[in-house]
């Protein structure tokens, strides 16, 4: 295998052509309990990470927002309130199991009219150039096979001046925190996954894929390479999670 | 106030006559997110505690089981499978919010016919003498105003030879574990309660009420005083939880 044709699935080196299918298997498996596990694994703190993302988005009534890898719709629900009847939010996810859970949840909560759904690959976004005021991808970029291609696609469909927000696991900024986090990720987390979902492997993949993801500075550089200006990031929970923001020039 | 007329609501000393109402307030508040919070607070481990309880119950097809303070029905669902069509499980809870959540969940899961529901106070069980083969009370006895009265009532409605299983928080058996557990209970737990349910107070009550509950030996003595024979207990998770078992002589 040449380097160009391989990538990572957690700690495993796989053919780039196979990664999407492996990732799909994980999310088909976890979709039904995705929201529950987010609360269990983070002790509810993922709610704060998402709240900060919304606050930094600057989304206003009438805006068009694309929530990539939007899964069960946590961000979409908040954006739908912000953009109002004149605005539009597209909940996109490559995984139809996740998209179905998200759509059912949002419809049950009464979100209708200004929310649309698209089963879409972040690398090949099915939208015209210069469409959105804001794009978010929360805990999704890590799972994309070609991240540079995805960032370029996001840049293309953003309006000039539009903002990209990437919420993703990142590198803890303190070695003691990192040790505790490793212990938690590789021991506690798969155990909880097994107890609650009877699926330890998916949560082992989660922990591994986080370690393989570019750190704060690297991701910032990738965003700049994809054409974003004013790139910066905000560490949360000691860098366990980082929010990267960039603007289409 | 004389000692006879006071009791504890968490760390607070309250009139015995007021405790039930205070406890009711907690459970009306937490009912909708009770299952979620159990998974979040215990990292899913409450599932193992309940599994062990079922295993020790010795419940067989045709048995009649009473699940007191059965709340959202985790144990009732498992018992309903064990007793089969010829058996009967009564899910009892003093709190109608909890009982409604439990009933909705069980009906949605298809449990019909061999499950009945009763809004009942553990101190005044509305059943004839010698009715049940097995009684469970999981994470409920702690909240009962007069625990001795409740244990006597359980003894009365059990058949001779019937088993009582009390699953309840207890005293950690290791001082280091106890320190970590205190830190978790009084700092992390109310924070998670606030993030997920917007109700930190109920989870502060949970932590406090656990500390005020009789320890392993004391509860064993109370069961013996109520007429139970062959009383013993099993520590789980280092004594954070204990399962007490007794048999009606």
């Amino acid at each position: 295998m040449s380097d160009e044709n391989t990538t990572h699935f957690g700690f495993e080196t796989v053919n780039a052509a196979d990664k999407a299918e492996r990732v799909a298997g994980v999310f088909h498996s976890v979709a039904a309990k995705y929201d529950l596990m987010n609360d269990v694994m983070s002790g509810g703190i993922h709610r704060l990470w998402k709240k900060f993302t919304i606050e930094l988005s600057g989304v206003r009534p009438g805006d068009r927002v694309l929530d990539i890898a939007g899964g069960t719709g946590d961000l979409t629900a908040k954006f739908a309130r912000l953009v109002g009847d004149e605005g539009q939010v597209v909940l996109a996810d490559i995984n139809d199991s996740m998209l179905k859970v998200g759509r059912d949840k949002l419809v049950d909560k009464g979100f209708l009219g200004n929310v649309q759904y698209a089963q879409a690959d972040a690398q090949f976004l099915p939208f015209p150039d210069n469409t959105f005021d804001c794009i978010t991808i929360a805990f999704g970029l890590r799972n994309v096979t070609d991240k540079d291609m995805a960032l370029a696609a996001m840049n293309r469909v953003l309006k000039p001046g539009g903002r990209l927000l990437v919420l993703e696991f990142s590198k803890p900024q303190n070695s003691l925190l990192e040790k505790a986090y490793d212990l938690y990720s590789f021991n506690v987390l798969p155990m909880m996954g097994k107890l609650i979902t009877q699926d330890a492997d998916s949560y082992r993949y989660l922990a591994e894929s986080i370690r393989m993801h570019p750190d704060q500075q690297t991701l910032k550089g990738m965003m700049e390479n994809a054409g974003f200006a004013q790139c910066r990031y905000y560490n949360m929970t000691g860098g366990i999670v980082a929010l990267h923001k960039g603007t289409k020039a």
Side-chain angles (χ1 to χ4, degrees), chain A residues 67-85:
Chain A
D67 181 14
I68 300 178
T72 59
D74 281 351
L75 290 179
T76 292
K78 292 176 199 294
F79 282 132
R81 286 201 193 90
L82 285 176
V83 301
D85 291 343

Side-chain angles (χ1 to χ4, degrees), chain A residues 65-178:
Chain A
V65 178
L66 173 62
D67 181 14
I68 300 178
T72 59
D74 281 351
L75 290 179
T76 292
K78 292 176 199 294
F79 282 132
R81 286 201 193 90
L82 285 176
V83 301
D85 291 343
E86 305 301 309
Q88 183 195 28
V89 185
V90 178
L91 172 56
D93 204 296
I94 195 171
N95 190 284
D96 62 319
S97 298
M98 294 291 290
L99 202 59
K100 277 176 190 158
V101 171
R103 189 183 53 191
D104 286 353
K105 196 172 83 175
L106 292 176
V107 170
D108 283 352
K109 287 187 171 182
F111 290 100
L112 296 163
N114 66 352
V115 178
Q116 283 161 346
Y117 303 89
Q119 187 177 357
D121 184 331
Q123 301 164 116
F124 309 97
L125 292 170
F127 306 102
D129 298 358
N130 311 316
T131 302
F132 296 100
D133 299 286
C134 181
I135 295 179
T136 52
I137 178 166
F139 306 112
L141 189 62
R142 203 177 69 248
N143 302 307
V144 175
T145 304
D146 189 331
K147 295 167 185 59
D148 296 312
M149 189 189 287
L151 290 169
M154 295 175 205
N155 192 271
R156 180 183 64 76
V157 302
L158 269 180
K159 294 179 188 171
R163 290 89 59 205
L164 169 65
L165 292 160
V166 180
L167 181 64
E168 189 53 272
F169 293 104
S170 202
K171 191 172 164 49
Q173 297 299 292
N174 168 311
S175 65
L176 189 67
L177 174 64
E178 193 165 20

Side-chain angles (χ1 to χ4, degrees), chain A residues 12-242:
Chain A
E12 205 179 329
T13 300
V14 297
N15 274 320
D18 296 338
K19 173 160 175 163
E21 200 178 327
R22 299 286 297 272
V23 170
V26 167
F27 284 91
H28 287 311
S29 169
V30 303
K33 301 220 168 165
Y34 186 82
D35 286 341
L36 169 60
M37 285 303 294
N38 279 349
D39 274 329
V40 169
M41 293 186 297
S42 74
I45 294 174
H46 74 101
R47 294 163 183 254
L48 293 179
W49 300 333
K50 288 170 183 161
K51 197 174 173 193
F52 183 66
T53 305
I54 297 290
E55 281 169 4
L56 235 73
S57 72
V59 164
R60 296 181 299 185
D63 277 359
R64 301 181 84 177
V65 178
L66 173 62
D67 181 14
I68 300 178
T72 59
D74 281 351
L75 290 179
T76 292
K78 292 176 199 294
F79 282 132
R81 286 201 193 90
L82 285 176
V83 301
D85 291 343
E86 305 301 309
Q88 183 195 28
V89 185
V90 178
L91 172 56
D93 204 296
I94 195 171
N95 190 284
D96 62 319
S97 298
M98 294 291 290
L99 202 59
K100 277 176 190 158
V101 171
R103 189 183 53 191
D104 286 353
K105 196 172 83 175
L106 292 176
V107 170
D108 283 352
K109 287 187 171 182
F111 290 100
L112 296 163
N114 66 352
V115 178
Q116 283 161 346
Y117 303 89
Q119 187 177 357
D121 184 331
Q123 301 164 116
F124 309 97
L125 292 170
F127 306 102
D129 298 358
N130 311 316
T131 302
F132 296 100
D133 299 286
C134 181
I135 295 179
T136 52
I137 178 166
F139 306 112
L141 189 62
R142 203 177 69 248
N143 302 307
V144 175
T145 304
D146 189 331
K147 295 167 185 59
D148 296 312
M149 189 189 287
L151 290 169
M154 295 175 205
N155 192 271
R156 180 183 64 76
V157 302
L158 269 180
K159 294 179 188 171
R163 290 89 59 205
L164 169 65
L165 292 160
V166 180
L167 181 64
E168 189 53 272
F169 293 104
S170 202
K171 191 172 164 49
Q173 297 299 292
N174 168 311
S175 65
L176 189 67
L177 174 64
E178 193 165 20
K179 280 210 178 64
Y181 180 54
D182 280 350
L183 189 75
Y184 178 78
S185 302
F186 290 104
N187 295 278
V188 181
L189 210 134
M191 179 275 289
M192 297 191 305
K194 188 174 174 204
L195 280 175
I196 297 177
T197 69
Q198 289 77 53
D199 174 8
D201 288 345
S202 292
Y203 295 92
R204 196 164 292 119
Y205 164 72
L206 170 66
E208 292 181 4
S209 67
I210 289 170
R211 270 62 183 187
M212 301 307 291
H213 189 65
D215 67 10
Q216 285 87 337
Q217 280 296 338
T218 307
L219 179 55
K220 181 166 174 272
M222 290 165 67
M223 287 173 65
E224 287 162 351
N225 289 342
F228 288 95
Q230 301 162 43
C231 294
R232 63 162 299 185
Y233 60 84
Y234 306 81
N235 283 321
M236 292 186 271
T237 317
I240 286 176
V241 160

